[in-house]
Amino acid sequence: MALSAQELLDRLDPEQRKVACALSGPVCVRAGAGTGKTRAITYRIAYGALSGAFAPQNLLALTFTKKAAGELRERLRDLGVPGAQARTFHSAALSQLGYFWGATVGGPMPRVSDATRPFVREAARRIGLPGDESTISDLNTEISWAKSFLVAPENYELRAAREGRGEIAGVEAGRVAELMEAYEKVKLEKGSMDFSDALLLLVGILLDNPKVGARVRAQYRHLVVDEYQDVSPLQHRLLQLWLGGSKELCVVGDAAQTIYSFAGATSRFLREFPKEFPGATVVELVRDYRSTPQIVNAANAVIGSGNGAGGAVRLVSQLPSSFPVEFREHGDDEAEAKDIARRIGILAREGLPFSEMAILYRVNGQSAVFEGALREASIPYRVAGGVGIFRRKEVREAMASLSMAARSEPSGSLSGNVGAVLRQLGWTQKAPQRAGVQRERWDSLDALHRLAVRTEARREVSLRDFVRDLEGRAGDENPPETDEVTLSTLHAAKGLEWDAVFLAGMHEGLMPLSYATTPDQKEEERRLLYVGITRARQRLVVSYAKSNGKRAQKRSGFLADVWPQAESKRSRATSYRQRARQAKQDFARDYPDDVPLLRSLQEWRRAKAKELGKPAYTIFPDAALRDLAVSRPQTLAQLSRIRGIGQKRVIQWGEDVLEVIARG
Ligand code: ATP
Ligand code: MG
């Protein structure tokens, strides 16, 4: 969909337009979640390219996660600017390092290793520190913090004291400094480098070789950074060197979403941008285009009651009022997971694609219980950061075949062409009946087919472009979105959005995490919750379990202001009438779209009861009617699976009910 320059601007609000039109000089956008920061920079890039202010290949857009880089590329492609580079700091640094290594340092370049714990363990052993997993893990994090903060081992003690870091897992600062030195030695011996080294080495090369800097600048004359609140001092240093005095930098961020402090991120650079770049165009956005007023209210309340909001703006939703935020308490986490799976099933039957739903939680380990519940309910899902689809053998085979087929530039629809190739590899329109390896293979191939169908619905694409697109995704391991529920940690969900979000496991110990003990750490956890809430467009369900099966759990204190007042315990004496009224209200609130059908079903029941001279509830209980209205079975088999219906009713009333549903 190629838009004209004017059409691009027409799709922005006045402040966003200001960002898009500020095509030279430093630009800083500070704004809350969902206000269109990412939109503003993608449109700015597209507008800059269309109006001829810069060539897309001279621009480098930087993000902090692969997923965010993939998302940015996707949005740019949709706007018709495929040439612009969107990369993580790490991947940009690594590719430049590879390019300039031979001419500057020479010899074999160290391999990047993302698993640094073994090095820390070995270093700890050498200097006689305890080697238990939790100590090693804390020390590992501390080393990466120090490197991101550009703190060398010889300065560590001083800096650690100044920053009030205290002992790390019971290890005092002097010993941590020793460990840092030993760690560097171990790593060097293994011919490896860690994530920070890629940036540190490049910083070194740029400082020592002015010509290298000049060449980089000749290529990337414009830099754009999304989520700038998460920039570390090391990344900031690299940015400065890339710029080399130029002012062509545009950053966007939200101090209230700083969630990587533990790894060295700091919102200081965002806050001080106008000081660092005098004369910068500074824009603030407050209109929230993502979430309903109900969700925005919850977000404002959660961030507003903290003390570390650092000037968090109050968001104002631009969307019509919609579903209330739901707060649910469960007996244990399995019940919680089951309920979420059930709700997802209902939303899906109402027509919401699975890819528009996400379950977000605090730590990776929480995914298992949700995976179990979703699998049981036959709901497809994907764990963010899980085994990438492109590592699967059948997908590699399919990509090779698609690439061959693309050479002959076949005519016809994209999905038709992709389907034809996949069929030769054993893919069929319908899923195989049996589970197991064959089914897994089919799932992978079908994911490619679904991607083709979705791509062609959005824009016209040749088989060749589709293959190129796939190869691009495979390169950065950004799996194609297929119709699957996303399971993700709150950290990995940053910058993303879904129609329906389930924020699960929101109890003390996980939110905030029990490790968060200082006020700063607690505020970071609060920001994490704020990030979670603001991922939702239409529906937000917040839940926790009162027990984990072993211990009792308390609801997160961060939710105190938004959680509905505990209802006075309904006594057993509560009249049937009262309960029925409550159930009716709850239904109207949770399933407004199904109210008309429920009414038709009730009418049918009334008529039937009158005809037979029996009380209505003997025909169908209220709860069964509500379930029918929501799940809308189409066959007797589906009908018989509904709770409280039973074989007898299916035989007696099944056909009647199906007819009411079909009419409704
Ligand atoms: P986050 O802080 O979570 O990264 P963000 O500020 O980057 O959020 P975007 O992701 O750019 O926000 O936008 C949020 C949603 O609002 C997107 O779906 C986007 O398309 C939509 N949106 C933004 N601006 C507008 C606008 N002017 N008109 C219509 N929709 C908009
Ligand atoms: Mg964003």
Side-chain angles (χ1 to χ4, degrees):
M1 145 192 81
L3 297 172
S4 71
Q6 189 54 46
E7 280 168 328
L8 280 171
L9 295 184
D10 287 346
R11 291 177 171 213
L12 300 176
D13 72 22
E15 293 81 24
Q16 292 170 336
R17 211 170 296 138
K18 195 168 158 201
V19 179
C21 294
L23 291 171
S24 77
V27 181
C28 172
V29 181
R30 292 186 287 201
T35 53
K37 294 183 295 298
T38 304
R39 182 172 171 120
I41 52 171
T42 43
Y43 276 64
R44 179 179 180 269
I45 295 169
Y47 182 63
L50 264 183
S51 64
F54 46 72
Q57 58 272 21
N58 289 143
L59 181 137
L60 175 61
L62 293 152
T63 66
F64 294 88
T65 63
K66 287 180 187 169
K67 179 99 187 135
E71 170 96 10
L72 212 57
R73 269 195 297 271
E74 183 108 344
R75 290 196 192 189
L76 286 170
R77 255 193 311 250
D78 285 351
L79 289 177
V81 257
Q85 294 258 7
R87 312 189 119 189
T88 61
F89 272 92
H90 186 252
S91 105
L94 208 56
S95 85
Q96 290 180 23
L97 200 59
Y99 191 78
F100 294 112
W101 184 268
T104 52
V105 184
M109 193 171 101
R111 277 166 293 131
V112 180
S113 125
D114 44 11
T116 49
R117 277 191 214 189
F119 303 148
V120 180
R121 200 175 299 119
E122 171 60 13
R125 196 190 58 77
R126 286 190 192 173
I127 68 163
L129 283 176
D132 62 283
E133 267 320 300
S134 95
T135 305
I136 296 302
S137 160
D138 286 0
L139 290 170
N140 187 37
T141 309
E142 186 64 5
I143 292 177
S144 97
W145 173 85
K147 296 182 83 163
S148 303
F149 262 81
L150 296 163
V151 180
E154 57 273 24
N155 303 329
Y156 178 80
E157 251 189 291
L158 195 71
R159 277 296 292 276
R162 217 189 306 148
E163 310 265 341
R165 296 190 73 77
E167 291 185 345
I168 306 299
V171 180
E172 56 169 42
R175 297 284 277 158
V176 175
E178 260 178 72
L179 178 80
M180 285 170 67
E181 248 169 276
Y183 165 83
E184 294 299 329
K185 265 198 213 114
V186 173
K187 193 158 46 71
L188 197 68
E189 284 167 21
K190 307 269 189 218
S192 290
M193 60 176 162
D194 61 26
F195 264 51
S196 303
D197 288 333
L199 274 67
L200 282 165
L201 288 168
L202 185 60
V203 164
I205 290 177
L206 287 165
L207 284 172
D208 293 346
N209 306 273
K211 278 199 184 133
V212 169
R215 284 190 56 191
V216 172
R217 272 188 297 286
Q219 168 73 54
Y220 297 123
R221 282 180 230 142
H222 296 261
L223 300 180
V224 175
V225 188
D226 198 359
E227 310 270 3
Y228 193 63
Q229 76 278 359
D230 276 331
V231 78
S232 72
L234 169 56
Q235 288 157 336
H236 177 255
R237 188 78 193 94
L238 187 56
L239 265 181
Q240 283 179 324
L241 290 167
W242 275 337
L243 285 168
S246 146
K247 307 243 175 292
E248 297 311 323
L249 171 65
C250 168
V251 305
V252 305
D254 175 9
Q257 293 186 68
T258 312
I259 55 174
Y260 282 99
S261 306
F262 69 90
T266 164
S267 58
R268 194 181 84 222
F269 298 112
L270 176 66
R271 283 183 274 118
E272 295 178 357
F273 190 91
K275 237 194 275 165
E276 185 181 351
F277 293 91
T281 307
V282 178
V283 181
E284 293 193 353
L285 313 170
V286 286
R287 279 181 281 260
D288 181 319
Y289 293 95
R290 175 182 295 142
S291 313
T292 64
Q294 285 83 354
I295 293 165
V296 165
N297 283 345
N300 281 335
V302 163
I303 202 73
S305 41
N307 52 20
V313 270
R314 268 197 92 69
L315 297 171
V316 183
S317 172
Q318 303 300 299
L319 302 188
S321 179
S322 187
F323 313 101
V325 177
E326 290 177 51
F327 297 91
R328 310 220 155 204
E329 179 187 86
H330 299 280
D332 57 35
D333 42 3
E334 245 167 60
E336 181 180 17
K338 234 184 178 153
D339 187 55
I340 291 176
R342 186 182 66 86
R343 298 297 308 276
I344 289 176
I346 293 173
L347 291 174
R349 282 193 292 275
E350 287 174 2
L352 190 63
F354 290 123
S355 56
E356 279 307 333
M357 301 187 239
I359 307 177
L360 307 181
Y361 40 80
R362 177 65 183 86
V363 299
N364 275 312
Q366 283 172 276
S367 82
V369 60
F370 301 113
E371 289 189 58
L374 293 178
R375 226 177 292 135
E376 193 143 299
S378 304
I379 292 171
Y381 65 87
R382 187 174 62 87
V383 182
V387 170
I389 183 166
F390 290 106
R391 296 216 197 106
R392 299 179 201 162
K393 188 166 141 268
E394 59 273 20
V395 172
R396 290 186 183 283
E397 275 170 20
M399 280 170 61
S401 305
L402 286 168
S403 165
M404 291 277 282
R407 282 195 212 149
S408 65
E409 305 194 352
S411 57
S413 75
L414 176 67
S415 59
N417 291 329
V418 170
V421 171
L422 294 178
R423 233 168 253 123
Q424 287 168 6
L425 299 169
W427 172 80
T428 46
Q429 203 47 267
K430 267 181 74 177
Q433 286 299 316
R434 269 176 304 142
V437 183
Q438 205 196 342
R439 171 68 202 235
E440 279 167 25
R441 185 182 155 85
W442 182 87
D443 280 335
S444 305
L445 296 179
D446 194 55
L448 293 179
H449 188 254
R450 276 179 290 163
L451 183 68
V453 172
R454 286 162 58 122
T455 305
E456 78 187 355
R458 263 195 293 178
R459 53 186 197 275
E460 207 171 295
V461 169
S462 67
L463 186 57
R464 183 185 294 262
D465 288 342
F466 181 71
V467 170
R468 201 172 297 149
D469 197 82
L470 281 179
E471 281 162 357
R473 288 169 188 263
D476 54 67
E477 288 180 29
N478 181 29
E481 336 148 22
T482 49
D483 197 21
E484 294 168 331
V485 173
T486 301
L487 299 191
S488 169
T489 60
L490 291 166
H491 277 105
K494 197 161 60 113
L496 307 178
E497 57 187 26
W498 294 271
D499 270 355
V501 168
F502 295 84
L503 267 185
M506 293 293 120
H507 59 81
E508 290 285 324
L510 279 179
M511 178 50 71
L513 203 61
S514 47
Y515 300 144
T517 48
T518 67
D520 281 355
Q521 288 168 339
K522 286 206 174 130
E523 282 314 306
E524 177 133 327
E525 296 285 308
R526 182 191 294 282
R527 293 193 292 268
L528 204 45
L529 176 58
Y530 175 75
V531 167
I533 293 175
T534 53
R535 296 311 94 200
R537 293 197 197 103
Q538 291 286 322
R539 290 182 190 258
L540 174 65
V541 181
V542 186
S543 62
Y544 83 104
K546 285 191 286 185
S547 156
N548 67 357
K550 289 183 213 143
R551 262 172 291 114
Q553 300 178 148
K554 258 177 38 197
R555 184 220 304 152
S556 168
F558 294 154
L559 295 166
D561 290 346
V562 290
W563 202 277
Q565 291 302 310
E567 303 163 43
S568 56
K569 278 222 166 65
R570 253 182 254 141
S571 70
R572 285 187 183 282
T574 313
S575 72
Y576 165 77
R577 238 172 232 276
Q578 253 173 314
R579 267 182 287 142
R581 196 178 321 126
Q582 184 65 43
K584 194 173 157 192
Q585 278 170 8
D586 288 351
F587 188 87
R589 182 195 67 195
D590 292 350
Y591 309 106
D593 296 343
D594 299 321
V595 170
L597 178 56
L598 180 63
R599 291 224 181 91
S600 310
L601 286 165
Q602 284 165 334
E603 239 159 65
W604 166 82
R605 181 176 66 170
R606 212 174 1 255
K608 206 39 113 201
K610 206 165 155 200
E611 182 189 318
L612 301 176
K614 281 179 155 188
Y617 69 87
T618 60
I619 313 264
F620 269 109
D622 286 348
L625 282 196
R626 285 195 291 270
D627 286 352
L628 279 171
V630 172
S631 59
R632 302 181 183 225
Q634 285 167 14
T635 63
L636 290 176
Q638 289 169 352
L639 183 78
S640 62
R641 269 181 239 129
I642 290 175
R643 194 164 34 120
I645 289 195
Q647 206 53 35
K648 219 169 113 198
R649 285 201 175 98
V650 174
I651 294 167
Q652 249 179 320
W653 318 121
E655 296 290 352
D656 282 16
V657 167
L658 289 182
E659 207 189 302
V660 176
I661 292 172
R663 261 190 281 125

